[in-house]
Amino acid sequence: MFDESLVVQSAVSAFNNAALALPAFFWFGLLMMPLFYVVYKYGNKLMDMIGWERFGLQSRIIKWTVVMSLIWLVLFGGNYVVLRDAETLLPFVTAVIAFMGMMFVGNMTRNIQLPHWREMSRARKWKTVLFCALVLAIIALTDTHTWWGPILQIFAFVAGAYCGRRMKSKINEVPFVSGFIFLFTIMILMQPEFFRFGQLGNLTWLHLAGFAFVGLPVMGAVALRNTTPRGRIYQSAFVKLKWLMRCLVLLAGCLFVMTESVPVFIGTCMLAGGLFWLKIIHAKQVPEHLAARLLMITIFAFGLLTVMPVISCLAIFGWLSLPKGNFLQELRALL
């Protein structure tokens, strides 16, 4: 009765039941609704107070999203005992995301000259060494389930920063953050318990809806930015193809709800992207700012999913900076 394994399993089971009934990200988002309303209501005044201009605001939002996601990856992950698989791909996926994020940060700061070691005083050298050692120690703690985990994470962070600073051209921010957020979402779906998103991989429809709330808008934003409206498909053929794609997306979504599978989630998003592509190819023109609005929705949902309301508030700022329009009517161009 008092066996240690039984006590631990009972505690994990109780925590699992609580996590299933009360998805943390959903309730945090619900409790943050007054904050989001205040930001939406007085967002323009807040941006004027902090000196943020509307021009270039999207770039500022993307930079802060990537930086805060890296900090989240280092500080929020780490529930090592509950990993389902002994041989998991999660450390490699987190290393890829860390590499991508640091490459973006390094590229963003490549024009900033770092102080030369020989020109630094002895006291400053010691402070620099201690600071770097502290940062590397914190990064190493993001993966301690094997002996090579800390080495992999440190290498990913350092190599990413180095490659970013050595790049001669600037990274295209919008495609980068779209792929970054999508890969980050896949990482959470791979091992929900590692990021305290859901225990033992048993997710509710609220968890799955949160993934869809991120994955579908980002596919729409990508399709709008990379497809030119041509109006070439005949109407009769377009109607048949449109309903076929809608049925495929619906079936794939139902399969994702039943399986909670990463490949099925990716396939569902790809099918949705195919539907968006079909609609854009058939249209003669699409709303000008719809891609930017969908990107802001993606960032907002990503902030909710990772329980980072600051990112969601930044997305609200980005939404307010766009010209006013009927979003629901514009969205019909993709659905």
Side-chain angles (χ1 to χ4, degrees):
M1 177 178 178
F2 296 102
D3 183 71
E4 292 181 357
S5 61
L6 293 177
V7 174
V8 172
Q9 291 176 8
S10 300
V12 169
S13 177
F15 177 79
N16 180 38
N17 294 334
L20 292 178
L22 304 171
F25 84 97
F26 173 77
W27 294 114
F28 271 111
L30 198 62
L31 292 173
M32 289 295 108
M33 289 302 294
L35 173 63
F36 297 151
Y37 174 77
V38 170
V39 173
Y40 180 78
K41 186 72 173 179
Y42 303 102
N44 291 315
K45 294 182 180 179
L46 290 173
M47 285 186 284
D48 292 335
M49 289 175 59
I50 60 180
W52 282 10
E53 297 181 357
R54 307 303 184 272
F55 179 77
L57 183 60
Q58 179 177 267
S59 176
R60 190 189 298 268
I61 292 171
I62 290 173
K63 291 175 182 177
W64 276 107
T65 299
V66 174
V67 170
M68 295 195 67
S69 299
L70 284 174
I71 297 174
W72 185 93
L73 182 65
V74 172
L75 299 181
F76 200 78
N79 203 356
Y80 316 105
V81 183
V82 296
L83 285 177
R84 282 172 284 163
D85 305 317
E87 301 295 332
T88 177
L89 295 175
L90 183 64
F92 302 99
V93 178
T94 55
V96 169
I97 293 176
F99 178 84
M100 289 177 58
M102 288 305 299
M103 184 175 64
F104 181 83
V105 173
N107 182 262
M108 181 177 63
T109 60
R110 69 187 189 280
N111 294 326
I112 300 176
Q113 294 294 330
L114 297 177
H116 294 284
W117 180 260
R118 294 180 180 179
E119 299 176 358
M120 297 169 59
S121 63
R122 188 172 182 178
R124 190 175 181 185
K125 287 181 180 179
W126 275 108
K127 291 179 181 179
T128 303
V129 171
L130 291 175
F131 175 77
C132 293
L134 178 62
V135 172
L136 293 179
I138 295 174
I139 293 173
L141 292 175
T142 59
D143 185 6
T144 59
H145 81 290
T146 59
W147 64 267
W148 49 263
I151 300 175
L152 176 65
Q153 301 305 318
I154 291 175
F155 177 79
F157 273 85
V158 175
Y162 177 79
C163 292
R165 289 189 64 86
R166 298 292 295 178
M167 292 177 64
K168 296 181 179 179
S169 59
K170 184 180 179 181
I171 293 177
N172 197 335
E173 295 175 344
V174 175
F176 176 86
V177 78
S178 300
F180 182 81
I181 289 177
F182 189 68
L183 185 59
F184 212 107
T185 305
I186 291 174
M187 178 187 68
I188 298 175
L189 180 59
M190 285 178 60
Q191 295 282 359
E193 64 275 16
F194 186 83
F195 301 103
R196 302 174 179 88
F197 183 75
Q199 189 72 1
L200 301 179
N202 296 317
L203 306 179
T204 64
W205 66 271
L206 286 173
H207 293 90
L208 302 177
F211 287 117
F213 195 23
V214 176
L216 299 183
V218 75
M219 287 295 127
V222 170
L224 284 165
R225 290 185 178 276
N226 296 277
T227 309
T228 303
R230 299 176 182 177
R232 289 187 176 181
I233 304 178
Y234 293 109
Q235 182 64 24
S236 58
F238 169 72
V239 172
K240 296 181 178 65
L241 291 172
K242 176 182 67 175
W243 280 103
L244 174 63
M245 291 301 299
R246 285 177 175 175
C247 292
L248 290 176
V249 172
L250 182 61
L251 290 174
C254 294
L255 185 61
F256 172 60
V257 171
M258 291 187 292
T259 62
E260 304 173 11
S261 171
V262 172
V264 175
F265 173 71
I266 298 174
T268 303
C269 293
M270 293 298 109
L271 286 173
L275 173 62
F276 301 151
W277 174 84
L278 182 68
K279 295 278 286 186
I280 297 169
I281 287 292
H282 175 69
K284 294 182 179 180
Q285 62 180 6
V286 293
E288 181 180 0
H289 301 286
L290 181 57
R293 297 188 200 281
L294 289 176
L295 180 62
M296 291 302 111
I297 290 177
T298 300
I299 295 175
F300 179 85
F302 179 69
L304 292 180
L305 196 69
T306 54
V307 196
M308 287 192 286
V310 174
I311 290 182
S312 298
C313 291
L314 290 175
I316 296 174
F317 284 154
W319 182 279
L320 293 175
S321 67
L322 297 172
K324 293 183 179 180
N326 191 335
F327 173 69
L328 295 179
Q329 185 175 359
E330 293 178 353
L331 192 61
R332 293 181 61 185
L334 292 182
L335 301 178

